[in-house]
Amino acid sequence: MYDITGSIVTYKISKEDLLKVIKSFFCTNKNVRLYVSDNSPTNELQNFILNLNESRIEYVFNNFNGGYGYGHNRIINKITKVSKYHVILNPDIYFSYNVLDSLYEYMEEKKEIGNIMPMVKYPDGKIQYLCKRDPRLRDLFLRRFCPFKSIIEKNNFYYEMKDKDYTRIMEVPLLSGCFMFLRVNELERIKGFDENFFMYMEDFDLCRRLRKYSKLIYYPKVEIYHNHARESHKNFKMTWIHAKSAFKYFNKYGWLW
């Protein structure tokens, strides 16, 4: 039985970024195993993984880009009977030695928690406000299309829970999917990600289903770093993918607040 397993979904990924998150994951004294679930069109990443000479990594070539949730579910289906906790990792994350150990110990104390996220910072040290209230249609629309920064900031103040103290532990409605430290038996209960979401909103959907049975906790006693690219704000293709996921999300949970 592993103390902690982790999964990273890759698609034409920067090997430099991937190496950073791999090294971070192994900064722990716990019994761990890491899976790289590759949605890329070719398996050229396999040689890179093999050359690391790390027996605790398993490379899985999916030979199909089924999306973010699909890639993680391929691993979740492997670990439900062999791991106590599972970490969902973005490939653009990195962190220091005490993060996984601290989250593990806190989850051991608080059995009611199903998902926990540490403080997330940009590489320059600024906080990323990734705790969220349930999104309204206006929240997503303004963030992407509103030309007035003051209006966006005013709306984000509520949506990103900036009225709360980000230096204190708190229970929240939604946590970002860039880093999810999950209790495996709760993850198994909800059957992982909903693969109807190709990319974007799948983390919010998972949180909403998970919080029916357990708590979602923001834990700022430890911190990680995230090179947050916000790709859907940079090109039309990603905007369209985000919009389709939002449509599925509001169809599932309701359009009116």
Side-chain angles (χ1 to χ4, degrees):
M1 174 71 81
Y2 296 107
D3 295 320
I4 305 168
T5 49
S7 56
I8 305 166
V9 171
T10 56
Y11 183 81
K12 299 180 179 179
I13 185 65
S14 157
K15 293 181 177 66
E16 182 181 356
D17 285 345
L18 182 58
L19 185 58
K20 260 188 172 182
V21 67
I22 287 173
K23 287 182 175 179
S24 296
F25 182 80
F26 290 122
C27 287
T28 175
N29 290 319
K30 301 301 180 187
N31 180 23
V32 300
R33 186 167 184 82
L34 179 63
Y35 298 83
V36 176
S37 180
D38 193 4
N39 285 347
S40 302
T42 68
N43 67 342
E44 63 182 64
L45 193 60
Q46 185 170 20
N47 285 334
F48 172 77
I49 299 296
L50 289 173
N51 288 335
L52 296 178
N53 291 317
E54 174 54 75
S55 61
R56 295 173 294 174
I57 302 179
E58 182 175 333
Y59 173 79
V60 177
F61 178 58
N62 298 320
N63 199 28
F64 172 67
N65 185 14
Y68 186 82
Y70 164 84
H72 281 296
N73 279 350
R74 290 291 303 274
I75 308 307
I76 290 168
N77 292 335
K78 286 174 171 282
I79 58 88
T80 52
K81 304 302 181 187
V82 299
S83 180
K84 196 166 190 178
Y85 299 103
H86 186 70
V87 189
I88 300 296
L89 294 158
N90 266 23
D92 54 1
I93 290 287
Y94 59 95
F95 49 90
S96 62
Y97 192 84
N98 66 326
V99 171
L100 294 183
D101 296 78
S102 296
L103 296 175
Y104 179 95
E105 298 304 331
Y106 192 73
M107 290 281 271
E108 286 288 279
E109 293 175 14
K110 309 289 184 180
K111 302 296 185 182
E112 70 276 13
I113 300 174
N115 180 15
I116 192 168
M117 183 185 77
M119 179 181 285
V120 183
K121 291 184 174 181
Y122 291 102
D124 65 4
K126 293 180 181 176
I127 292 176
Q128 292 184 24
Y129 293 95
L130 298 183
C131 300
K132 300 289 197 306
R133 292 184 167 97
D134 289 340
R136 302 161 294 182
L137 184 60
R138 61 174 285 177
D139 296 319
L140 304 185
F141 180 84
L142 289 175
R143 283 161 70 88
R144 179 60 184 90
F145 298 109
C146 181
F148 304 109
K149 186 177 179 181
S150 60
I151 294 176
I152 297 172
E153 288 179 347
K154 183 178 180 180
N155 191 77
N156 281 347
F157 186 82
Y158 176 81
Y159 177 50
E160 296 177 341
M161 301 184 67
K162 292 181 181 177
D163 55 319
K164 303 297 183 182
D165 186 353
Y166 265 75
T167 66
R168 300 185 66 179
I169 298 170
M170 56 182 171
E171 183 177 1
V172 298
L174 301 173
L175 292 169
S176 168
C178 71
F179 183 105
M180 292 178 156
F181 193 105
L182 298 148
R183 195 177 301 275
V184 168
N185 60 0
E186 295 296 343
L187 187 58
E188 183 181 15
R189 188 205 293 253
I190 63 169
K191 297 180 170 56
F193 286 95
D194 181 345
E195 294 178 21
N196 287 312
F197 297 94
F198 178 80
M199 186 177 180
Y200 303 114
M201 310 301 291
E202 70 287 312
D203 51 349
F204 287 2
D205 170 76
L206 184 136
C207 283
R208 288 190 72 144
R209 289 182 290 117
L210 192 63
R211 76 188 189 201
K212 292 178 182 178
Y213 310 104
S214 57
K215 292 183 177 181
L216 313 180
I217 297 295
Y218 166 72
Y219 184 79
K221 303 293 184 182
V222 290
E223 59 191 41
I224 64 173
Y225 293 89
H226 180 208
N227 283 312
H228 188 24
R230 300 187 75 178
E231 290 294 334
S232 70
H233 289 228
K234 295 180 179 180
N235 65 73
F236 177 77
K237 180 182 177 181
M238 302 308 288
T239 297
W240 178 239
I241 291 172
H242 201 161
K244 288 196 293 184
S245 288
F247 183 85
K248 291 175 182 176
Y249 178 88
F250 289 115
N251 265 353
K252 186 172 184 177
Y253 293 105
W255 289 80
L256 298 178
W257 202 250

